[in-house]
Amino acid sequence: MRKKNFLRGMILPVLLFAASSVSAQFKPIALDTIYIHPWIENRPDGHEPANLMGGHIHDHGVWMLSFRFSTMNMNGNLNGVHDISNDGIFQMYMNAPQSMRMQMYMLGVMYGVNNNITLMTMFNFMHHRMSAISKNGEIFETTVSGFGDIIPSVVLKVAEWPGHKLLVNTGMRIPLGKIDYTAMMMSGNKQQMPYIMQCGSGTFDAFAKWTYVVQKVHFSYGSQLYGLFRTGSNKQGYRLGNTYSLTSWGAYKINNALSFSTRLEGVSKGFIKGRDKDLNIMMSPSSNYINSGGLFAYVLPGLNILIQKGKLKRNRFDIECSLPLYQKPNGIQMKQQSILYFTWQWQQ
Ligand SMILES: [Cu+2]
């Protein structure tokens, strides 16, 4: 039995690959129906976990609407992998950030142009709040709310075998988010807010996501490779670092309405190139371009719910929670605590 499984495991991928690359005519249909079933989108794990995008595609003429909310908390500061105290920060800077909350609301529209091409556009609005303490002990809070960059993209089905899909999601980020938010300081002066408080990148950015997903009868798994490439320099005189990430997940289908997922993610963010001409780098670690980018790893438990009947039929509710496993920011940056993601999706 074991030997048979082994042979099946070895021969099937070779056969499928050979068959799909030669001609559809030679596709081993009999094998497909016995060992693997065709892709089913209408199951809770038929879409990627809550905070991933570009991991599914729609059929011709299908519209999808989505609303996403995320909230990220940061507390305290790290200098590389080590904690740094306020006194440590005051040796170089006038203020030390204490806590920060970043909330984002995203509206998304998807449309299947045909079975292999889906168009997608995301709009977002964000709210940032940061509290900091000054060298002489004054605690103050600053907030910024505004629209973020608009993200049009296309999802292409590059390859498909029964139960397997390879998708590419590529697009750009159009810099509509403002990058010159200021705050009134206690001194009565208006001051430029640090990079992390701004709502956009200020540059045209291109991205690509490669997603490979596999679906079995009771579970599914997948991986996504992401690259975000910044171009040029914004009107403040800098550009944010490129970002790369690799994530893999597995999801277990409890029943037709509910699935649980676990995901691992590694992220690499580059340094800011150039510097904001209106920022005083001594103001705070977050005002210094040196303190940007780094290496991060997260574990993300998640839950996907797909309503199968009644008035809410075809509505999806997904939750994911991002917990940091490893943080190695470049220089001094705030320490990430947790990120919660909620996603609602409705599709025709
Ligand atoms: Cu969709």
Side-chain angles (χ1 to χ4, degrees):
M1 192 61 196
R2 208 181 241 179
K3 199 177 167 193
K4 203 177 155 194
N5 277 338
F6 175 73
L7 281 175
R8 186 195 288 173
M10 290 295 289
I11 293 168
L12 199 59
V14 176
L15 272 181
L16 285 177
F17 179 75
S20 58
S21 57
V22 177
S23 154
Q25 198 178 335
F26 294 108
K27 213 173 163 191
I29 290 162
L31 282 177
D32 294 354
T33 48
I34 294 167
Y35 299 126
I36 27 185
H37 65 86
W39 186 274
I40 300 169
E41 197 195 350
N42 188 34
R43 49 185 261 183
D45 60 343
H47 283 186
E48 63 277 29
N51 186 44
L52 284 180
M53 271 166 262
H56 70 267
I57 191 161
H58 293 288
D59 283 339
H60 175 220
V62 174
W63 286 93
M64 189 189 98
L65 275 179
S66 67
F67 181 76
R68 291 157 190 271
F69 171 71
S70 69
T71 180
M72 178 189 196
N73 288 303
M74 294 191 277
N75 243 314
N77 294 281
L78 285 172
N79 183 6
V81 293
H82 302 290
D83 286 305
I84 182 167
S85 65
N86 290 341
D87 288 339
I89 291 173
F90 293 145
Q91 288 179 7
M92 265 190 76
Y93 299 97
M94 293 183 273
N95 302 294
Q98 299 298 289
S99 67
M100 179 160 181
R101 198 179 68 187
M102 306 175 84
Q103 293 178 319
M104 191 186 279
Y105 305 84
M106 275 186 127
L107 182 71
V109 186
M110 293 177 84
Y111 177 72
V113 175
N114 60 39
N115 289 347
N116 297 314
I117 301 173
T118 288
L119 298 178
M120 174 159 82
T121 306
M122 307 290 305
F123 305 88
N124 58 73
F125 182 84
M126 54 193 90
H127 181 71
H128 297 162
R129 190 183 73 195
M130 187 196 262
S131 76
I133 185 166
S134 70
K135 222 172 188 171
N136 52 25
E138 286 161 331
I139 296 170
F140 60 97
E141 200 177 89
T142 46
T143 57
V144 166
S145 295
F147 288 97
D149 298 337
I150 291 179
I151 314 165
S153 71
V154 56
V155 186
L156 304 169
K157 193 193 293 169
V158 175
E160 183 179 33
W161 304 270
H164 296 237
K165 266 184 201 177
L166 177 61
L167 304 174
V168 173
N169 174 211
T170 184
M172 63 191 308
R173 299 178 67 104
I174 298 171
L176 262 84
K178 280 174 67 181
I179 53 164
D180 53 3
Y181 283 100
T182 55
M184 193 65 85
M185 303 315 274
M186 278 172 300
S187 57
N189 296 332
K190 261 192 174 179
Q191 216 160 61
Q192 172 81 350
M193 299 294 282
Y195 304 98
I196 196 169
M197 292 288 279
Q198 302 296 341
C199 290
S201 66
T203 54
F204 281 91
D205 306 327
F207 70 88
K209 294 176 182 181
W210 289 77
T211 312
Y212 187 67
V213 275
V214 180
Q215 201 181 58
K216 302 284 181 187
V217 179
H218 296 291
F219 63 95
S220 57
Y221 54 92
S223 283
Q224 187 177 75
L225 180 68
Y226 170 61
L228 171 63
F229 309 93
R230 320 279 189 179
T231 60
S233 172
N234 61 32
K235 64 171 187 170
Q236 292 297 115
Y238 67 93
R239 82 163 174 267
L240 296 176
N242 291 346
T243 299
Y244 309 96
S245 75
L246 179 62
T247 183
S248 290
W249 72 95
Y252 184 75
K253 185 168 81 91
I254 307 285
N255 55 39
N256 286 336
L258 179 68
S259 68
F260 285 100
S261 62
T262 304
R263 186 155 77 87
L264 284 171
E265 184 176 37
V267 181
S268 165
K269 278 186 184 172
F271 280 103
I272 292 170
K273 302 275 184 337
R275 54 172 287 196
D276 188 326
K277 61 182 171 55
D278 295 327
L279 270 177
N280 173 359
I281 61 169
M282 309 301 285
M283 186 56 68
S284 158
S286 52
S287 304
N288 189 342
Y289 61 96
I290 290 290
N291 301 315
S292 59
L295 283 173
F296 308 87
Y298 308 90
V299 60
L300 302 98
L303 182 67
N304 285 26
I305 296 166
L306 171 63
I307 312 284
Q308 294 280 10
K309 50 189 168 204
K311 276 191 175 160
L312 288 176
K313 197 178 169 184
R314 289 189 288 272
N315 280 260
R316 280 174 187 275
F317 300 91
D318 306 333
I319 302 170
E320 223 182 359
C321 176
S322 175
L323 303 165
L325 287 176
Y326 177 77
Q327 302 185 53
K328 194 191 174 200
N330 298 323
I332 302 169
Q333 292 182 44
M334 294 198 75
K335 194 178 187 175
Q336 300 176 12
Q337 304 293 332
S338 64
I339 315 174
L340 264 176
Y341 303 99
F342 299 94
T343 298
W344 163 80
Q345 298 177 350
W346 170 85
Q347 116 183 31
Q348 248 181 333

